[in-house]
Amino acid sequence: MSTADRPHAMSEADRAPTVEEPRLATRDRTRRRPRLPLRVTVALPLALTGLFALLVTGNTLRPFDRITTIEARMGSKSDFFKDPEVQRLLLEHGIRVDIHRLGSRANATISMQGMDVVFPSGQPAAKLVLNRMDHSVRSVRPFATPLVLGTFRDYAETLRRMDVAIPQPVEGDTETLYYDLDMRKFMDLLDGLDDGRETADQDRDGTPERADTWNGIGFDRDGLRSNSGRVLVRTSDVCDSNSAGTYLSILAFVANGDSTPGAGAADAATARKEADEVARRIKPLIDLQGMWADEQADGYFSDLGESIAPISVIYEHQYLAHQIEHARTHGGQDSRRVLLYPSPYALTEPQLISLNDKGDRLVRIIQDDPALRQRALELGFRVRFSGKDGTSEQLNTYLRGHGIQVPRQNRDQSKVYEPDLDVLEEIIDSVGSCPPPVQDTP
């Protein structure tokens, strides 16, 4: 073999580099391993705390509970069911309420198909619902609340100077939140009397053109503010709203000489004739406001409330709930907004009415759960308690504890009793030109 054919000896440079096999890191057996990973150690106390809380409250299996949705139609009393604490308490019973907002009278005059409960804000609308039932139903009246007129201090003070409103006494140097309103004198202002003095050519016939203006009764006396608009009260639609119907009952009672229209009439025709006469007299006092608004409380408590309407029909519980929340968030009362308590007065009693078995369950819970009754009180309702600590005293104690002035009962304890349902419907239909009710189809 020649030298050329022999394989050359490989130099170090010609050799392929040697690559070591990768080594896998293994646990150092000499190092002590913790029993639990750090992240598990940190989270474990939180998990045990949550488990303990579920055990204590009896909610261990709550995530697996089935939630029942109740379809409910109501007006202003949806304030109660929209409250987050009420919703939480109902969830403890496995209940969620789906609210369909509609005025109380409208609730009673349209189809109720698909609903489990309805919650009219007063007895007339509740009776309309019950009259449509062909079987006995479960219902409850958990609380009561007076009808009031929400206004602003400058307007209330204007009425005070006219001797139409009287401020309720208050302790200390604070300004009162409440005034008693003489409805007879107030209706004279709505009725067209000039500065509260009746003249020979003013016959109190409710002619809108003669109605007083705010400036006409001294609102602009100090020269700082002015309002040339008419003195009127803004209401919801009388065809749909219990609050508007209740206010109408007050006007009718006073216009009828402090007597319930149709009461004691010899027959239905006589009662209807009396209702038509009263409706004719009070209709202009309602028509003055022009277009109806849906919910007066929303406008009254808004930042533009005073621009929307000087006086609005609301419920006492709405005002007290506002004051409770204002005291919590601002550390004191809202002294700009005040209440006028009509005299004679009207007390409304909302009634939760079940339409089926699901509704029965909600009625029982509202009737029996003390936590829900307590929460209703905290939302400004006069809750029905038995015994010496009655409906008003429980609420008064709560208000005092939160630094809120307690309203007193009117000195005039005359109570407006709503007319018989047929008579009231006649007055409402005449004043509001209401459409006929819708009947459920079989």
Side-chain angles (χ1 to χ4, degrees):
M1 179 180 296
S2 67
T3 306
D5 293 332
R6 291 179 185 175
H8 293 285
M10 297 180 65
S11 66
E12 290 296 327
D14 294 329
R15 294 179 183 274
T18 303
V19 179
E20 293 185 2
E21 294 184 4
R23 299 192 180 195
L24 297 177
T26 60
R27 178 172 60 87
D28 185 355
R29 296 183 181 277
T30 63
R31 182 182 178 185
R32 187 175 180 180
R33 183 182 182 185
R35 293 181 178 273
L36 291 173
L38 179 61
R39 64 177 66 90
V40 176
T41 304
V42 172
L44 185 58
L46 298 176
L48 291 175
T49 301
L51 178 61
F52 179 75
L54 290 173
L55 290 171
V56 170
T57 58
N59 293 322
T60 312
L61 301 178
R62 180 63 66 198
F64 304 100
D65 285 355
R66 180 179 178 183
I67 303 299
T68 300
T69 298
I70 303 292
E71 301 296 336
R73 205 161 57 201
M74 61 191 74
S76 62
K77 300 310 170 283
S78 61
D79 296 345
F80 176 73
F81 285 102
K82 287 181 178 179
D83 175 66
E85 178 63 12
V86 170
Q87 293 174 349
R88 186 191 68 79
L89 292 170
L90 288 173
L91 280 176
E92 291 186 356
H93 294 278
I95 291 287
R96 186 180 73 86
V97 178
D98 186 15
I99 299 171
H100 303 258
R101 183 77 181 251
L102 193 63
S104 293
R105 188 172 181 274
N107 276 333
T109 56
I110 67 172
S111 173
M112 293 184 289
Q113 290 185 353
M115 294 296 107
D116 301 311
V117 296
V118 291
F119 199 5
S121 294
Q123 288 307 289
K127 191 171 182 181
L128 283 174
V129 172
L130 294 172
N131 286 348
R132 294 172 59 181
M133 300 292 100
D134 57 2
H135 59 280
S136 61
V137 298
R138 182 183 294 273
S139 69
V140 62
R141 283 181 272 175
F143 34 68
T145 187
L147 189 83
V148 292
L149 305 183
T151 189
F152 300 86
R153 187 168 302 281
D154 289 347
Y155 290 97
E157 284 297 303
T158 301
L159 295 175
R160 179 191 62 79
R161 291 194 295 267
M162 291 292 297
D163 196 32
V164 175
I166 301 174
Q168 293 187 7
V170 61
E171 297 180 0
D173 298 330
T174 59
E175 297 178 297
T176 186
L177 296 180
Y178 314 115
Y179 295 74
D180 295 332
L181 181 69
D182 189 320
M183 283 301 296
R184 298 165 190 83
K185 293 180 179 179
F186 184 59
M187 285 175 63
D188 282 346
L189 297 181
L190 301 178
D191 197 34
L193 300 183
D194 184 13
D195 294 336
R197 296 185 296 273
E198 187 172 357
T199 61
D201 61 345
Q202 291 176 322
D203 58 2
R204 302 179 65 181
D205 63 354
T207 305
E209 289 74 19
R210 295 177 179 174
D212 290 277
T213 66
W214 284 107
N215 285 346
I217 63 171
F219 180 77
D220 60 347
R221 190 178 68 172
D222 57 11
L224 299 178
R225 307 185 70 195
S226 173
N227 188 338
S228 59
R230 291 167 171 164
V231 179
L232 58 86
V233 175
R234 193 150 177 81
T235 75
S236 304
D237 189 343
V238 295
C239 296
D240 295 341
S241 166
N242 178 78
S243 63
T246 304
Y247 177 65
L248 209 61
S249 295
I250 297 177
L251 296 179
F253 183 87
V254 176
N256 201 48
D258 286 354
S259 176
T260 302
D267 50 53
T270 303
R272 189 159 43 251
K273 181 180 179 180
E274 186 173 312
D276 289 340
E277 173 61 23
V278 170
R280 184 190 68 81
R281 296 176 61 186
I282 65 176
K283 180 178 173 65
L285 311 185
I286 297 293
D287 287 348
L288 279 172
Q289 67 178 297
M291 186 177 293
W292 304 108
D294 291 333
E295 175 53 58
Q296 293 304 305
D298 292 343
Y300 173 64
F301 294 117
S302 71
D303 292 339
L304 297 176
E306 192 166 357
S307 300
I308 293 172
I311 303 180
S312 301
V313 172
I314 62 173
Y315 293 106
E316 181 195 58
H317 77 87
Q318 294 171 318
Y319 181 84
L320 296 181
H322 168 77
Q323 290 292 357
I324 292 168
E325 178 62 18
H326 193 277
R328 186 184 69 82
T329 56
H330 299 283
Q333 302 177 140
D334 178 1
S335 59
R336 177 171 164 249
R337 290 176 174 83
V338 298
L339 283 191
L340 303 172
Y341 280 86
S343 179
Y345 74 97
L347 187 68
T348 65
E349 298 178 274
Q351 186 165 352
L352 181 65
I353 302 173
S354 166
L355 304 178
N356 52 38
D357 291 343
K358 288 170 64 177
D360 286 353
R361 182 179 172 189
L362 179 61
V363 167
R364 284 194 296 268
I365 291 170
I366 296 299
Q367 182 174 321
D368 298 337
D369 190 328
L372 285 169
R373 288 199 299 273
Q374 176 63 29
R375 185 56 184 163
L377 183 148
E378 295 168 359
L379 293 173
F381 290 98
R382 297 181 181 271
V383 181
R384 293 176 178 273
F385 290 98
S386 60
K388 62 180 181 180
D389 293 331
T391 298
S392 294
E393 190 51 41
Q394 289 274 0
L395 177 61
N396 294 346
T397 301
Y398 185 81
L399 293 175
R400 291 189 194 99
H402 288 74
I404 298 169
Q405 180 186 348
V406 174
R408 72 170 190 182
Q409 291 184 331
N410 287 349
R411 291 177 298 176
D412 179 4
Q413 285 298 290
S414 298
K415 183 177 185 296
V416 172
Y417 291 96
E418 289 147 333
D420 181 77
L421 187 59
D422 292 339
V423 174
L424 179 60
E425 286 295 295
E426 183 76 21
I427 295 174
I428 291 175
D429 289 339
S430 297
V431 171
S433 302
C434 304
V438 176
Q439 300 296 328
D440 287 329
T441 56

